[in-house]
Amino acid sequence: MIIAVASGKGGTGKTTVATSMALSLQDMSSEVTFIDCDVEEPNGHIFLCPQITGSDNIYIEVPEIDRQKCTRCGKCADLCAFNALLATSDEVIVFPEFCHGCGGCRYFCPVEAVTMMPKKIGTVEKGLAGRVKFARGRLEVGAALSPPVVDAVKKHSTDQGIIILDAPPGTSCPVIHSVRGSDFCLLVAEPTSFGLNDLDLAVQMVRSLGVPCGVLINRARERSCLIEKYCREHELNVLMKIPLSKDIAGAYSRGIPLGAVDGKWNKAFRRIYRDIRELVANEGNNRYQR
Amino acid sequence: MKEITVISGKGGTGKTSVTASFAVLAENHVITDCDVDAANLHLLLAPEIMEVKKYWGMPRVEINAAKCTGCGLCETLCRYDAVSGGAVDKLLCEGCLVCYHACPAGAMRPVENLAGEWYLSRTRYGPFVHARLGVAQDNSGKLVARVRQRARDLAEKTGRNLIITDGPPGIGCPVISALGGTDLALVVTEPTLSAMHDLVRVLDLAAHFGVRAAVCINKWDINPDNCRAVEDTCRDMNVPVLGRIPYDPAFMAAALEKKPVIKMTSTVVNDIISLWDCVKKELGL
Ligand code: SF4
Ligand code: SF4
């Protein structure tokens, strides 16, 4: 079972939820894996304090031009859809930060002047936090392309046990690469006008992927009807509410997961997991009947 | 002309509320929102849209089944695994068009990809250039570049000497695109371990691209020890801390009432005003 924890808006408490959930499910499944897909700003380790046991570098291939062979015909630069090459009268200049590694320049160069060379864009580390298996991707500072790092860290998900993915914020490519293929997406929202606006975008994104989703309201106040009203109108289950609380905010600032603040949250996350399992099973049945 | 770009690395630190307040305080400026993926600034500025432009993203490809001979070259060439079994997965396709150029049967066809919209608006606080990236589109930085270019043109044409930009979160393409050539990156952070971790990454990014950075610590009193640690980090990295803002429910209340926090009755108003004075000094205004 793969559960992606996402949110349109950043700073809604997504990572707190994802890490707390992973920790509280340790006793429920023989195997729980936490995967930090928020590769631009990975923060899961702050809450999980994992022991890192291994690390791999992630590369994309960018062109290198052999000046001896190159005739400066300019074909490669014309072809590059990402403006990563500039052909002048005496050389071809490569802008590796724009390159998407498509390999077109190499394929079409009439004189085989282009070789693809690996360029490091990030790392994937794995480790163990208690009994939770841990993996995180980290985009190199200055590298622009995060989806390949997301794809690489996601390879640590197995079909064993429970896998919790901490997705990046937003609704664009890095999120798509994270959430795609999950069995369920838990959307964390906060009850402000920003939160509502961004939740709506996130719901559209998840639904476009055909992944079932539900909502967790964080920093909920007595009358945080804004998000609940939206959920009613859009047939979304509100699976849990975490109140606006100074204790939780203080614990958050020190990197303490919810279960360590109060054991009742462990129970709450186990319950939410059972709810999700049921929703996913129902979804499966519905699909089968259709 | 000067540009200040407000960023945060981590979301939820109050970046947009601070930007909106600057928009109220500044004079003779253009406001832009480069957080095109989950844009929020418009919620605080109540813009009246004057001009809507379509944003075309990278194209996608389609296979003409009638022409396809099934040679499989496209599948071999595609680095994104977007082509398989004679069909293109539009979510994986990045629009490099290598398959289109290579297909011996001419069966690949590029199709236009409407990836969002951008707007020129009027607000009580000045002209506003903003955008909306379509859901599940790639945020390559192209739309960010478009928005910034439009803002610069507008500022030049109307003789405005300052651009105030709400920047994207993270450290990837959109941020890189938002930072290039700006005069000051103001990082709004908070004293939580997560935000502190992200702060270092985003300051490294600014340094990597040679962009001058400064920091504002929001909600500083939720963890004074961490706040001191942030200040130490900034000192070590040679980045000035231009202001500290205490935790104040006025931020949330303002977001609910859809107005810039500076319009609320609260003591943070003075903190933001003095922050803005420091920013102006940094910018040489
Ligand atoms: S296509 Fe090959 S020969 Fe032509 S400019 Fe590019 S690298 Fe040089
Ligand atoms: S690999 Fe593709 S994106 Fe990179 S420079 Fe060559 S043509 Fe451009």
Side-chain angles (χ1 to χ4, degrees):
Chain A
M1 164 85 104
I2 305 178
I3 302 171
V5 182
S7 74
K9 180 176 168 354
T12 57
K14 176 176 64 58
T15 303
T16 317
V17 168
T19 51
S20 302
M21 188 159 168
L23 288 171
S24 55
L25 297 180
Q26 281 179 93
D27 310 323
M28 258 180 108
S29 166
S30 55
E31 198 171 319
V32 177
T33 308
F34 172 88
I35 300 183
D36 201 336
C37 295
D38 190 356
V39 304
E40 290 183 39
E41 310 287 14
N43 287 142
H45 63 281
I46 293 171
F47 296 86
L48 294 174
C49 305
Q51 203 115 53
I52 300 296
T53 54
S55 152
D56 289 316
N57 291 336
I58 307 302
Y59 302 91
I60 63 166
E61 297 205 311
V62 303
E64 203 172 88
I65 315 276
D66 183 335
R67 295 190 62 156
Q68 248 68 56
K69 285 190 191 161
C70 171
T71 62
R72 289 167 278 294
C73 70
K75 196 150 188 211
C76 53
D78 288 346
L79 195 112
C80 177
F82 306 100
N83 300 320
L85 297 169
L86 178 71
T88 66
S89 52
D90 47 39
E91 65 172 330
V92 173
I93 306 166
V94 184
F95 300 96
E97 58 276 24
F98 293 145
C99 172
H100 283 225
C102 73
C105 49
R106 188 199 59 83
Y107 186 75
F108 286 102
C109 173
V111 295
E112 295 186 2
V114 183
T115 349
M116 300 303 281
M117 301 297 276
K119 174 187 167 226
K120 185 177 170 199
I121 58 161
T123 49
V124 167
E125 291 154 307
K126 61 173 196 214
L128 210 56
R131 284 174 37 225
V132 176
K133 289 193 174 163
F134 174 91
R136 74 161 167 188
R138 257 172 95 87
L139 183 72
E140 191 103 323
V141 170
L145 279 189
S146 55
V149 185
V150 174
D151 292 344
V153 72
K154 265 185 86 176
K155 295 212 173 96
H156 286 272
S157 62
T158 51
D159 16 316
Q160 304 276 308
I162 305 167
I163 291 135
I164 309 279
L165 302 180
D166 190 356
T171 67
S172 65
C173 38
V175 193
I176 300 295
H177 280 251
S178 306
V179 175
R180 221 173 172 217
S182 303
D183 297 298
F184 191 84
C185 182
L186 181 61
L187 294 168
V188 183
E190 61 173 31
T192 62
S193 47
F194 293 177
L196 179 64
N197 180 75
D198 298 348
L199 173 65
D200 183 38
L201 297 173
V203 169
Q204 290 176 43
M205 178 272 298
V206 178
R207 290 199 162 152
S208 79
L209 293 175
V211 173
C213 62
V215 174
L216 183 153
I217 305 178
N218 192 16
R219 303 191 193 112
R221 275 154 305 168
E222 291 298 306
R223 292 174 296 124
S224 49
C225 45
L226 185 79
I227 302 280
E228 277 161 286
K229 180 163 168 276
Y230 172 87
C231 290
R232 268 196 306 279
E233 286 165 6
H234 291 79
E235 294 178 22
L236 285 160
N237 290 301
V238 176
L239 294 167
M240 185 167 160
K241 286 202 250 175
I242 301 174
L244 179 66
S245 127
K246 230 180 161 173
D247 287 349
I248 295 178
Y252 173 78
S253 75
R254 280 172 278 132
I256 298 171
L258 284 170
V261 178
D262 186 335
K264 74 173 186 197
W265 294 113
N266 283 332
K267 259 189 227 136
F269 279 112
R270 286 197 279 268
R271 202 196 55 234
I272 198 175
Y273 172 70
R274 277 188 288 258
D275 290 346
I276 288 173
R277 211 168 42 187
E278 210 165 288
L279 284 170
V280 171
N282 289 343
E283 184 81 11
N285 289 341
N286 290 346
R287 217 171 265 166
Y288 185 69
Q289 279 160 16
R290 265 183 245 141
Chain B
M1 194 198 309
K2 300 281 182 175
E3 182 180 8
I4 169 168
T5 309
V6 185
I7 53 173
S8 65
K10 180 178 149 32
T13 59
K15 163 179 75 70
T16 300
S17 301
V18 168
T19 313
S21 298
F22 287 174
V24 176
L25 292 170
E27 278 159 27
N28 201 25
H29 60 293
V30 174
I31 312 158
T32 62
D33 190 352
C34 285
D35 189 356
V36 298
D37 188 0
N40 285 150
L41 189 53
H42 65 282
L43 295 171
L44 300 180
L45 300 181
E48 184 193 331
I49 295 178
M50 314 295 290
E51 201 182 299
V52 182
K53 286 269 162 62
K54 286 193 165 64
Y55 163 65
W56 299 98
M58 298 304 287
R60 298 293 178 248
V61 288
E62 262 172 22
I63 302 182
N64 181 343
K67 285 191 185 166
C68 174
T69 60
C71 74
L73 182 64
C74 48
E75 258 189 77
T76 320
L77 285 180
C78 181
R79 294 281 169 113
Y80 314 109
D81 297 326
V83 198
S84 77
V88 178
D89 184 331
K90 291 218 167 90
L91 285 173
L92 291 179
C93 174
E94 299 208 3
C96 69
L97 300 188
V98 171
C99 56
Y100 159 73
H101 294 296
C103 178
M108 287 291 192
R109 183 179 45 175
V111 283
E112 284 188 311
N113 171 25
L114 183 61
E117 283 181 339
W118 57 276
Y119 317 96
L120 176 61
S121 295
R122 202 154 60 182
T123 77
R124 290 172 57 191
Y125 317 109
F128 178 37
V129 187
H130 50 130
R132 181 181 173 146
L133 185 75
V135 161
Q137 289 292 343
D138 65 15
N139 194 357
S140 61
K142 236 171 99 180
L143 181 53
V144 170
R146 195 69 50 86
V147 166
R148 284 184 75 201
Q149 187 56 47
R150 185 72 183 91
R152 230 168 298 147
D153 291 348
L154 183 72
E156 239 155 57
K157 237 190 348 220
T158 54
R160 294 171 188 267
N161 61 1
L162 175 66
I163 298 173
I164 298 176
T165 300
D166 192 6
I171 60 161
C173 341
V175 196
I176 293 174
S177 176
L179 285 183
T182 190
D183 297 283
L184 183 68
L186 180 71
V187 188
V188 179
T189 188
E190 61 182 29
T192 63
L193 292 184
S194 301
M196 290 156 78
H197 174 256
D198 298 348
L199 171 67
V200 172
R201 276 166 72 76
V202 87
L203 289 177
D204 280 343
L205 182 77
H208 183 95
F209 288 101
V211 171
R212 202 145 65 95
V215 167
C216 154
I217 310 173
N218 193 11
K219 313 176 202 170
W220 73 267
D221 50 345
I222 60 171
N223 193 326
D225 292 339
N226 282 352
C227 180
R228 268 187 294 279
V230 173
E231 287 168 333
D232 291 345
T233 307
C234 290
R235 196 170 325 114
D236 292 346
M237 295 181 80
N238 236 330
V239 171
V241 176
L242 298 184
R244 297 205 300 192
I245 303 172
Y247 173 81
D248 193 320
F251 271 83
M252 238 191 177
L256 269 176
E257 286 178 38
K258 302 193 175 183
K259 52 189 196 190
V261 61
I262 195 104
K263 291 276 177 182
M264 307 292 283
T265 323
S266 155
T267 51
V268 289
V269 169
N270 289 327
D271 296 306
I272 297 175
I273 291 175
S274 53
L275 170 67
W276 176 240
D277 288 337
C278 293
V279 166
K280 278 201 296 198
K281 222 178 274 160
E282 274 301 301
L283 284 171
L285 286 177

